[in-house]
Amino acid sequence: MGRTPCCSQVGLRRGPWTPREDSLLVNYIQHYGEGHWRSLPKKAGLLRCGKSCRLRWMNYLRPDIKRGNITPDEDDLIIRLHSLLGNRWSLIAGRLPGRTDNEIKNYWNSHLSKRLKNDTTTTTTTTTTTTTVDKRHTNYHGRNPKGTSKSSEKSTKKPSTEKNNRDGANCEQEVIAKTKIYLPKPIRVGQFSSIKNDGFDAGSNSMPSFLDNVHGQDCTEVLNLDHVFKPGVDQGGNAGGGDPLLCVKDHDFANNIIDRRCESISCHDFSQQKDDMLDKIYEEYQRLLEVEDLLQISDSFC
DNA sequence: AATCGAGCCAACCGCAGCCGG
DNA sequence: GCCGGCTGCGGTTGGCTCGAT
């Protein structure tokens, strides 16, 4: 499709945005709303391409954006969603209110992927989950072996909700113990085509790619999804029991994965399973946020 | 004090989906 | 059904910051 790259136009500014440009963009959007990015810069008096304006607004200027201080809970949620969705940052961001896909992507690349790397190097030398969890305890946030972490140091400069919300390393270790990280290979998906692009078409018996890509494992190992989801569930795998996570952990899902490998169930069924699971993870996250709020309120009385 | 290297993140680039003509 | 423009997405990059030496 012959599309002219909008940013290649002569005379358009590039690089970091100035406060004046920001205010022009914000003022324009406040008056006329988002959209029509192509024509927006001209109307707003900006020497930027529409794409750049959109990016700036979406990733930085939107009023509902939370910046920095990814909490352990968000961290946990990102890991779990990533294990489900792969590099579908926009989908993951959609489940994290106030977070942008760019921020999550950056966070993953700078923090979590390193943790994953450490994790995989340890898992290759060990066979039991217990062992790998123990190893991960020493590698949370991908901190370097010297123990100096710029991210942690930076976070001391910024107001750190992470430190306020949780009891530091213990909680981080707890998160680690709850999660098993996989690294799906990058998948490209359209907004409404996650299943279609997951790599299995009607005539294929293959697994969806996000599962195929799970660490290059076969479906038996994919059953380790149990580790992806929050433990704290009973080992019997009983669904219900008051905890929504019990549903997430529901073995029916894992069984469906196997069924798919062996019998090829319908795309729709699987899509529904995945959507349900996402909803449940998200519900859990919302609950965590509520609990955090309650804890903060109670702390404030102490 | 200067230099180096690692980490972080805003922004850019190119591709693909969607949609209207 | 085809074409072209717009938009959204994910990968990548460049520059800034900061700790280590």
Side-chain angles (χ1 to χ4, degrees):
Chain A
M1 300 186 204
R3 184 174 49 85
T4 55
C6 61
C7 296
S8 67
Q9 291 176 33
V10 182
L12 293 184
R13 275 180 51 80
R14 294 178 56 184
W17 281 63
T18 65
R20 178 177 150 70
E21 288 177 312
D22 283 346
S23 67
L24 280 172
L25 181 57
V26 169
N27 286 338
Y28 181 87
I29 291 177
Q30 280 174 348
H31 277 96
Y32 303 103
E34 295 180 38
H36 307 291
W37 298 108
R38 192 83 169 183
S39 58
L40 184 150
K42 203 173 181 178
K43 293 176 182 171
L46 286 161
L47 288 172
R48 295 274 182 174
C49 68
K51 212 172 185 178
S52 183
C53 292
R54 179 188 160 274
L55 202 68
R56 183 65 177 170
W57 173 255
M58 293 295 189
N59 288 337
Y60 202 86
L61 298 176
R62 269 191 307 167
D64 58 331
I65 285 180
K66 281 191 270 179
R67 303 200 60 76
N69 303 320
I70 304 274
T71 66
D73 292 330
E74 288 174 311
D75 181 293
D76 187 27
L77 183 63
I78 291 169
I79 292 168
R80 282 190 256 168
L81 288 173
H82 187 272
S83 71
L84 275 176
L85 301 167
N87 295 357
R88 289 173 233 182
W89 308 117
S90 61
L91 282 176
I92 295 172
R95 300 281 168 170
L96 286 152
R99 300 294 182 189
T100 68
D101 54 353
N102 207 31
E103 186 178 17
I104 291 169
K105 179 172 58 182
N106 283 333
Y107 184 69
W108 180 270
N109 287 334
S110 58
H111 292 81
L112 302 179
S113 65
K114 287 169 195 161
R115 203 196 308 175
L116 168 69
K117 197 179 285 181
N118 288 333
D119 181 56
T120 52
T121 54
T122 55
T123 49
T124 54
T125 57
T126 55
T127 52
T128 64
T129 305
T130 307
T131 310
T132 57
V133 165
D134 290 340
K135 293 267 186 181
R136 276 197 300 270
H137 284 180
T138 63
N139 288 320
Y140 189 74
H141 274 186
R143 288 182 176 136
N144 67 37
K146 295 176 185 173
T148 56
S149 167
K150 289 185 180 177
S151 61
S152 62
E153 283 153 3
K154 276 190 176 178
S155 69
T156 61
K157 295 175 183 173
K158 299 172 186 175
S160 171
T161 55
E162 180 171 331
K163 284 203 165 187
N164 294 336
N165 288 345
R166 291 290 192 131
D167 186 17
N170 287 341
C171 290
E172 291 178 349
Q173 288 178 359
E174 185 185 349
V175 170
I176 290 299
K178 289 171 182 173
T179 55
K180 183 177 182 73
I181 310 166
Y182 298 113
L183 179 62
K185 76 182 177 190
I187 314 161
R188 184 165 182 87
V189 235
Q191 192 174 0
F192 304 108
S193 57
S194 59
I195 292 303
K196 178 180 69 180
N197 285 309
D198 266 337
F200 65 105
D201 50 51
S204 164
N205 273 359
S206 64
M207 294 277 286
S209 65
F210 91 91
L211 291 172
D212 267 343
N213 292 330
V214 172
H215 220 261
Q217 296 168 332
D218 64 27
C219 62
T220 308
E221 289 171 293
V222 167
L223 279 176
N224 282 332
L225 279 167
D226 271 357
H227 301 298
V228 171
F229 305 119
K230 208 163 205 162
V233 289
D234 61 359
Q235 290 306 306
N238 296 325
D243 187 336
L245 282 170
L246 293 176
C247 303
V248 174
K249 183 177 177 281
D250 194 340
H251 286 277
D252 286 344
F253 174 70
N255 289 335
N256 269 341
I257 294 172
I258 297 174
D259 289 343
R260 170 160 291 284
R261 189 64 134 188
C262 305
E263 302 170 12
S264 179
I265 62 178
S266 76
C267 293
H268 175 76
D269 290 343
F270 189 81
S271 172
Q272 189 60 48
Q273 291 270 3
K274 202 165 77 171
D275 287 346
D276 289 348
M277 202 153 52
L278 279 173
D279 287 340
K280 277 157 188 163
I281 290 176
Y282 185 63
E283 282 171 21
E284 171 218 352
Y285 176 65
Q286 293 291 348
R287 281 191 173 81
L288 283 171
L289 289 181
E290 288 167 13
V291 170
E292 293 291 340
D293 289 343
L294 287 173
L295 286 174
Q296 282 181 352
I297 291 169
S298 63
D299 284 349
S300 67
F301 288 106
C302 298

